[in-house]
C-alpha cells in the first residue's frame, strides 16, 4: 500500500454547525493524519476557480454560492491509500445512499450540502492541495 496525500474540505454546512472536530475525529479514527489545516472564507470567484471542472454543469453556480456562504476548513490528509480511505470515510455523495457511520450519513443535510469534499484521484489531489497550500504548510 502506498502512502498518499489528499485534500479534504469541511464545507459551510458543517462549519456552521461546529462539526469540524467530530469530522476530524472520523478521519483520525480511520488512520488518516491531518498534516495541514486552515479555516478560510472563500469568495464566489475562488470557489468558481476551484470547481471550474464543473463549470458547464447545472449545479455550478449554486455550488459556488454555497461554498462562499460561510467559512470552510481545508486540510491535507495523509496515510495509506489516503484518497480511497477518505472517500470511504466521507460516504456516498447522496447522504441517503451513504453507509452508516460515514460523515455524510451522519452530518450531511442534502446532496448539495453534504458536509465534505475529497479528492478523487492522485492527480486531482496534487492539484487541489496546491490550490490551497504551499509546500511550507505541509508539515507531516
Amino acid at each position: 500500500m502506498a502512502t498518499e496525500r489528499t485534500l479534504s474540505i469541511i464545507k459551510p454546512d458543517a462549519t456552521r454547525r461546529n462539526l469540524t472536530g467530530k469530522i476530524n475525529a472520523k478521519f483520525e479514527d480511520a488512520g488518516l493524519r491531518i498534516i495541514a489545516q486552515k479555516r478560510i472564507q472563500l469568495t464566489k470567484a475562488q470557489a468558481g476557480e476551484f470547481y471550474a471542472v464543473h463549470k458547464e454543469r447545472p449545479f455550478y453556480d449554486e455550488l459556488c454560492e454555497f461554498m462562499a456562504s460561510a467559512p470552510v476548513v481545508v486540510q491535507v490528509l495523509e496515510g495509506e491509500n489516503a484518497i480511497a480511505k477518505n472517500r470511504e470515510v466521507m460516504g456516498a455523495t447522496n447522504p441517503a445512499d451513504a453507509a452508516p457511520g460515514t460523515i455524510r450519513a451522519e452530518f450531511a443535510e442534502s446532496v448539495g450540502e453534504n458536509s465534505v469534499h475529497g479528492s478523487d484521484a492522485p492527480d486531482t489531489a496534487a492539484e487541489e492541495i496546491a490550490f490551497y497550500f504551499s509546500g511550507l504548510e505541509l508539515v507531516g
Side-chain angles (χ1 to χ4, degrees):
M1 292 191 182
T3 298
E4 295 177 327
R5 290 179 174 172
T6 189
L7 183 80
S8 168
I9 301 176
I10 301 175
K11 294 181 177 182
D13 62 296
T15 63
R16 269 191 212 102
R17 292 177 290 142
N18 202 29
L19 297 173
T20 302
K22 290 178 181 178
I23 291 171
N24 283 346
K26 288 193 171 288
F27 294 138
E28 291 176 335
D29 289 348
L32 296 167
R33 291 181 345 126
I34 300 166
I35 65 164
Q37 181 181 64
K38 56 189 168 186
R39 183 180 179 97
I40 61 173
Q41 176 71 55
L42 292 171
T43 65
K44 187 175 178 191
Q46 289 167 325
E49 183 180 346
F50 181 75
Y51 286 106
V53 66
H54 298 304
K55 191 168 186 145
E56 302 304 319
R57 309 276 304 260
F59 60 82
Y60 174 76
D61 285 332
E62 184 179 342
L63 173 62
C64 295
E65 285 284 341
F66 168 62
M67 291 301 290
S69 69
V72 298
V73 175
V74 293
Q75 53 196 6
V76 179
L77 306 177
E78 182 179 76
E80 294 294 321
N81 294 312
I83 295 166
K85 177 60 72 176
N86 180 37
R87 296 185 73 74
E88 178 184 321
V89 171
M90 288 190 309
T93 302
N94 183 342
D97 298 333
T102 62
I103 292 167
R104 289 177 173 150
E106 290 188 25
F107 303 125
E109 296 183 313
S110 67
V111 173
E113 296 188 9
N114 61 20
S115 299
V116 286
H117 164 90
S119 304
D120 62 1
D123 290 346
T124 309
E127 290 172 19
E128 291 182 346
I129 290 167
F131 186 89
Y132 290 108
F133 293 95
S134 74
L136 292 174
E137 294 175 296
L138 305 177
V139 292

